[in-house]
Amino acid sequence: MTTANQREELTIPDLEPPRLDNGSSISQQIYDYLSSNVIEGKLLPRTALSENKLCEFFSVSRQPVREALLRLSAAGLVAVYSQRGSFVRPISLSGLKRAQLIRESVEIELLRLAITHRTPEFVAKLRAELSLQKTYQEHLQIEQFYHSDENFHRIISDQSGVSGVFDALKDIKLNLDRVRHLELVTHESIGILIEQHESIFKAIRDGDRRRAERAMRNHLRRVLSELDSIVAAAPEFFEKEP
Amino acid sequence: MTTANQREELTIPDLEPPRLDNGSSISQQIYDYLSSNVIEGKLLPRTALSENKLCEFFSVSRQPVREALLRLSAAGLVAVYSQRGSFVRPISLSGLKRAQLIRESVEIELLRLAITHRTPEFVAKLRAELSLQKTYQEHLQIEQFYHSDENFHRIISDQSGVSGVFDALKDIKLNLDRVRHLELVTHESIGILIEQHESIFKAIRDGDRRRAERAMRNHLRRVLSELDSIVAAAPEFFEKEP
DNA sequence: CTTGACATACTTGTATGGTAGAGGCCATCA
DNA sequence: TGATGGCCTCTACCATACAAGTATGTCAAG
């Protein structure tokens, strides 16, 4: 059969997650597990996520599994087709453009506000996060660097005076995050990202809004400018669209 | 008992929605019904939405009701407390500031793009929508005006060249939409809104980006500038926070 | 009158059973 | 050989039942 099999086999990476009863519900834990695996690229697009198979895998009933899948569907990470199956969604290129526009617009605005509200403590926090990133770079700790990168942007957002904006964009950023993971894994771009962070940092420290804005925009757009090469390196992660 | 009863009675406004089997699933229909009723202010904040009561009301089982409630919870319209109950969430003032910042940042950027990509058809569409709004004003058709208002902004967004951005912000705008409904119901502000739309329209037509941007920002910020009087007129819709 | 314990009637969370529809497989037939 | 129709499996979806935690009403003791 030359017809491309739409549904790949279900192969969940590792063993089951620790069944910690720490307050959060089972469906929440399943959601966290699946979403982080999709974002980190461990669950490949077009992988079938059958409710029954997932029940066995997690040793729970279908109910919490189903709820987790529905949430993943709402977040755009999973496509649920009635009476056919649920599958990990490939990354949509048009969706990336959407997310990029939103993130860029908002983060630039947050940056402007953060600079007008900037304090010595704020600058110190950024400096500390930057030095952390350099440590992670030396030890090639990719996942840690990724989270520190997140933190860097979150610190700026929190300084804007409007709380929670960064978290409010979490769902929208999901597909961008998937690409950023691909970039970190397949390319050796940590050095460049740190340089860009430093440019942003210096501009903030100097209170130079225009320079900071330019540096941030340049930094955020890197994902899209590198997109072609990322798609070429890992085409199985992306939608096939004209 | 002088202690304020946290949970109000469940009083769902009208009769049940038509059980149309038109493709969409039951849980989807329940979600649509509840969300629109919350947004339009027909379901008051702090109303208890018991799964069992909703089952009776819709004559379905708990499963689809529960899924709808979970989606509403993710959207921020409903709070689900384990083993305690589910309640319509009051509008959070800090959440409004968040949503406003995001909406403003993105829509201003979309407006810039729309102006650079503007075409005669685009201008014509805006003009047509404006004339529709004046008709609705004359006949005091509030709900229709609300949707035409939505449309006006959607037309601008679609002209940006990046598709689907407006819809991507739907969840974030939800609480803003609730306030806009309150404003339309309790105030006589349609005339002012139309004037603002006209200012935006003229600036777009003339290709004057700075003027359009100013007009749009002024228009979008109206919600916040009127917020105090809206809260005073309908305090039961808002969170009590310092 | 206040206060504490206990029974009860709620709530959401989880588990399991049943149903209709979509797609693959294979035998049957032109 | 190629096409077609029926069967069969798998899916998500809905209904029902059970479990566990919370608020409340009652009642007795201080």
Side-chain angles (χ1 to χ4, degrees):
Chain A
M1 194 71 117
T2 59
T3 315
N5 211 347
Q6 283 294 349
R7 65 174 69 178
E8 303 285 334
E9 199 52 34
L10 168 71
T11 50
I12 297 182
D14 305 324
L15 62 138
E16 62 195 284
R19 191 111 56 85
L20 27 102
D21 337 43
N22 58 344
S24 65
S25 68
I26 293 183
S27 76
Q28 176 66 37
Q29 296 179 47
I30 295 179
Y31 175 84
D32 291 339
Y33 181 85
L34 291 178
S35 64
S36 60
N37 273 290
V38 170
I39 292 172
E40 295 170 15
K42 296 173 184 169
L43 266 172
L44 266 60
R46 300 178 185 80
T47 302
L49 296 178
S50 160
E51 292 183 359
N52 286 319
K53 302 276 179 61
L54 289 173
C55 296
E56 287 185 37
F57 180 74
F58 291 107
S59 305
V60 296
S61 81
R62 296 205 314 272
Q63 177 79 9
V65 169
R66 178 171 170 73
E67 288 176 4
L69 284 180
L70 291 177
R71 285 186 55 192
L72 289 166
S73 167
L77 294 180
V78 165
V80 177
Y81 300 106
S82 186
Q83 277 84 20
R84 284 184 42 194
S86 306
F87 307 90
V88 177
R89 284 187 75 150
I91 301 171
S92 151
L93 295 181
S94 60
L96 282 179
K97 286 179 62 179
R98 257 197 298 281
Q100 170 67 21
L101 186 144
I102 294 173
R103 182 184 187 190
E104 192 176 307
S105 309
V106 175
E107 285 213 32
I108 294 282
E109 180 68 22
L110 290 171
L111 176 64
R112 288 199 197 101
L113 293 171
I115 290 181
T116 64
H117 296 142
R118 80 181 192 284
T119 62
E121 295 78 22
F122 169 54
V123 176
K125 268 199 235 174
L126 287 179
R127 194 198 312 274
E129 202 66 45
L130 254 176
S131 105
L132 251 184
Q133 292 179 9
K134 288 174 188 165
T135 311
Y136 293 145
Q137 178 187 29
E138 290 171 12
H139 299 74
L140 289 174
Q141 297 171 303
I142 292 182
E143 200 59 34
Q144 283 91 336
F145 174 82
Y146 175 83
H147 284 106
S148 174
D149 188 346
E150 282 290 284
N151 241 339
F152 186 82
H153 290 271
R154 181 188 299 275
I155 291 171
I156 296 175
S157 300
D158 287 347
Q159 191 66 21
S160 69
V162 183
S163 68
V165 178
F166 201 76
D167 286 329
L169 292 181
K170 196 162 54 177
D171 276 4
I172 289 180
K173 290 203 318 91
L174 285 179
N175 277 319
L176 278 176
D177 293 339
R178 293 172 80 180
V179 177
R180 287 169 58 206
H181 268 281
L182 286 177
E183 182 187 11
L184 287 182
V185 173
T186 61
H187 295 59
E188 300 295 340
S189 49
I190 292 186
I192 300 178
L193 293 178
I194 288 185
E195 281 179 23
Q196 294 182 338
H197 284 170
E198 247 169 2
S199 298
I200 298 171
F201 167 73
K202 288 177 184 167
I204 291 176
R205 183 197 54 195
D206 301 344
D208 188 335
R209 292 169 64 159
R210 293 182 59 85
R211 209 171 86 227
E213 198 177 314
R214 254 202 330 272
M216 176 65 88
R217 206 178 286 275
N218 182 52
H219 174 54
L220 293 178
R221 287 195 177 167
R222 174 178 166 76
V223 177
L224 284 195
S225 65
E226 293 291 315
L227 190 56
D228 285 344
S229 90
I230 296 174
V231 174
E236 69 273 20
F237 278 88
F238 294 88
E239 263 185 8
K240 290 176 278 283
E241 51 192 342
Chain B
M1 190 74 114
T2 60
T3 315
N5 211 346
Q6 282 295 348
R7 66 174 70 180
E8 301 287 334
E9 199 53 37
L10 167 72
T11 50
I12 297 182
D14 305 323
L15 63 141
E16 60 197 284
R19 192 108 56 83
L20 29 102
D21 339 42
N22 59 346
S24 65
S25 68
I26 292 182
S27 76
Q28 175 66 35
Q29 296 179 45
I30 295 179
Y31 175 84
D32 291 339
Y33 181 83
L34 291 179
S35 63
S36 60
N37 273 291
V38 171
I39 293 172
E40 294 170 15
K42 297 174 185 169
L43 267 171
L44 266 62
R46 300 176 186 82
T47 303
L49 296 178
S50 161
E51 295 183 358
N52 286 320
K53 301 274 182 60
L54 290 172
C55 293
E56 287 184 37
F57 180 74
F58 291 108
S59 306
V60 295
S61 83
R62 264 187 61 204
Q63 177 79 10
V65 168
R66 178 171 170 74
E67 290 175 3
L69 283 180
L70 290 176
R71 284 185 56 192
L72 289 167
S73 166
L77 294 181
V78 164
V80 177
Y81 302 107
S82 186
Q83 276 85 17
R84 285 186 42 195
S86 306
F87 308 89
V88 177
R89 287 188 72 153
I91 302 172
S92 152
L93 295 181
S94 60
L96 282 180
K97 286 180 61 179
R98 258 198 297 281
Q100 171 68 20
L101 187 144
I102 294 173
R103 183 185 185 190
E104 190 176 309
S105 308
V106 175
E107 284 213 35
I108 295 282
E109 179 68 22
L110 288 172
L111 176 64
R112 288 200 197 100
L113 293 171
I115 290 181
T116 63
H117 296 141
R118 82 181 191 285
T119 63
E121 294 79 23
F122 168 54
V123 176
K125 268 198 237 175
L126 288 179
R127 193 198 313 271
E129 202 65 45
L130 254 175
S131 103
L132 250 181
Q133 292 179 9
K134 288 174 189 165
T135 311
Y136 293 145
Q137 178 188 26
E138 290 173 12
H139 298 74
L140 289 174
Q141 297 170 302
I142 292 181
E143 199 59 34
Q144 283 91 336
F145 174 82
Y146 176 83
H147 285 107
S148 175
D149 188 346
E150 283 290 286
N151 240 338
F152 186 82
H153 290 271
R154 182 188 297 276
I155 291 171
I156 296 175
S157 301
D158 287 347
Q159 190 67 20
S160 69
V162 183
S163 68
V165 177
F166 200 77
D167 286 328
L169 292 181
K170 196 163 52 178
D171 277 4
I172 290 181
K173 289 202 317 92
L174 285 179
N175 277 320
L176 278 175
D177 292 339
R178 293 172 80 179
V179 177
R180 288 169 56 208
H181 268 283
L182 285 178
E183 183 188 9
L184 287 183
V185 172
T186 62
H187 294 58
E188 300 294 338
S189 50
I190 292 186
I192 300 177
L193 294 177
I194 288 184
E195 280 179 24
Q196 294 181 338
H197 283 170
E198 247 171 1
S199 298
I200 299 172
F201 167 74
K202 288 177 184 167
I204 292 177
R205 183 197 55 193
D206 302 343
D208 189 334
R209 291 168 65 160
R210 293 183 59 86
R211 210 173 84 228
E213 197 177 315
R214 254 203 330 273
M216 176 67 88
R217 207 178 288 274
N218 181 53
H219 174 53
L220 293 178
R221 286 193 179 170
R222 174 178 166 77
V223 177
L224 284 196
S225 65
E226 294 291 315
L227 190 55
D228 285 344
S229 92
I230 297 174
V231 173
E236 69 273 21
F237 279 88
F238 294 88
E239 263 184 9
K240 290 175 277 285
E241 50 192 343

